[in-house]
Amino acid sequence: MIRPRVVFMGTPEFSVPTLIELNNMFDIPAVVTVPDKPKGRGQKLLPSPVKIAAEELGLKVLQPTDLKDEAFIEELKKMDIDIFCIVAFRILPKSVFTIPRVASFNIHTSLLPKYRGAAPINWAIIKGEKKTGVTSFILDENIDTGNIVGTREVTIGESMTAGELHDELMPLAAELAVDTCEQLMKGNYQLKKQDNSKATPAPKIFREDCKIDFNLGAEDLKNFINGMSPIPGAWTELEGKKIKMLKSEIFPKINIKPKHYLIKNDNFLLQTTSGTVKLLIIQPEGKKVMKIKDFLAGYRGNKEGKLE
């Protein structure tokens, strides 16, 4: 039996389990990822996690700087491709996503049409969603709007961070990608059109968006801290120094003024107008990420103060 030919496109660590699972099931004539990027003080060129994984699997790697480059497009056309599978890559031009014989599909980390955009995992937590998941959809000329092939759902834990949710969704994305390829090849699927009236945005998050607003209520503050964690990280200033708050949970309300903090019995508590938030993980400026107990063991500052 001839195995379907699937070109995989992706960049970050999140994409790697999907590539591995697809390689176990299908013929992968090429993997497309971003060019190596300079990093660190020496500006050494480093490959993407997907390139590293592809080379370990012995797969051909393509790294176009321009997705509309004619040579790149012609190379893909010569491969006799059945399917393109895209997981956390760039926006493909129509001249590329129409190449496969069967279809091009993307795995998106939300239950579409909710949270279309660059940061769906973060925004699902920031907005207080109780569930999310991954969606496979056929590419069209707009962003995250194509017809849905399948989904997988997960429950968002009460104090789950974006990083924890990211890790939980990784294997589900791989599972859904394999299932979607099989459905597309067999033709035994029904596409579901997205309801645009239910669409919500998930725009890219920048560092300047991460400063904590202590006017938020307790639930919203907890969700903001957890939704920004670990990257880029919600931050504030404590006694003149920047500090990232990276995990939190709701705590029984304490008797201090709103927008104040209290350090007591190994707890770092943030008081809002509607309740109390307890910090669990923190990163002081210039230091490593640490549990709050470890931070407080060396803390010599004020035990109570105003939150700015």
Side-chain angles (χ1 to χ4, degrees), residues 221-284:
L221 176 59
K222 179 206 71 171
N223 291 339
F224 184 82
I225 289 170
N226 294 344
M228 292 291 188
S229 176
I231 296 172
W235 65 273
T236 188
E237 289 189 359
L238 180 66
E239 298 185 347
K241 290 189 176 181
K242 189 173 180 180
I243 192 164
K244 288 186 178 181
M245 298 179 174
L246 298 176
K247 188 175 175 69
S248 63
E249 65 183 13
I250 298 297
F251 189 82
K253 190 171 182 179
I254 55 176
N255 188 28
I256 66 169
K257 293 179 182 178
K259 297 178 66 174
H260 280 68
Y261 68 87
L262 174 67
I263 296 172
K264 185 178 182 181
N265 299 331
D266 285 335
N267 291 322
F268 194 138
L269 306 173
L270 311 175
Q271 183 61 28
T272 75
T273 55
S274 65
T276 308
V277 173
K278 175 183 174 181
L279 290 179
L280 301 174
I281 296 177
I282 204 165
Q283 184 178 20

Side-chain angles (χ1 to χ4, degrees), residues 266 291-300:
D266 285 335
K291 292 180 180 178
I292 200 67
K293 185 176 180 180
D294 297 328
F295 168 74
L296 293 179
Y299 180 70
R300 300 293 180 265

Side-chain angles (χ1 to χ4, degrees), residues 54-80:
E55 290 181 338
E56 289 175 351
L57 294 169
L59 300 173
K60 181 176 182 177
V61 177
L62 302 178
Q63 296 176 275
T65 54
D66 181 3
L67 294 175
K68 295 181 180 180
D69 179 72
E70 286 298 327
F72 167 64
I73 292 172
E74 286 304 311
E75 187 168 9
L76 290 175
K77 286 180 177 178
K78 290 176 183 178
M79 292 182 185
D80 188 26

Side-chain angles (χ1 to χ4, degrees), residues 83-120:
I83 294 170
F84 283 169
C85 172
I86 300 96
V87 181
F89 190 52
R90 294 157 61 190
I91 298 172
L92 298 186
K94 187 175 181 179
S95 57
V96 173
F97 72 70
T98 53
I99 290 174
R101 182 178 62 83
V102 178
S104 293
F105 76 91
N106 186 80
I107 300 288
H108 187 73
T109 49
S110 77
L111 297 175
L112 289 172
K114 279 196 165 187
Y115 303 109
R116 292 173 176 170

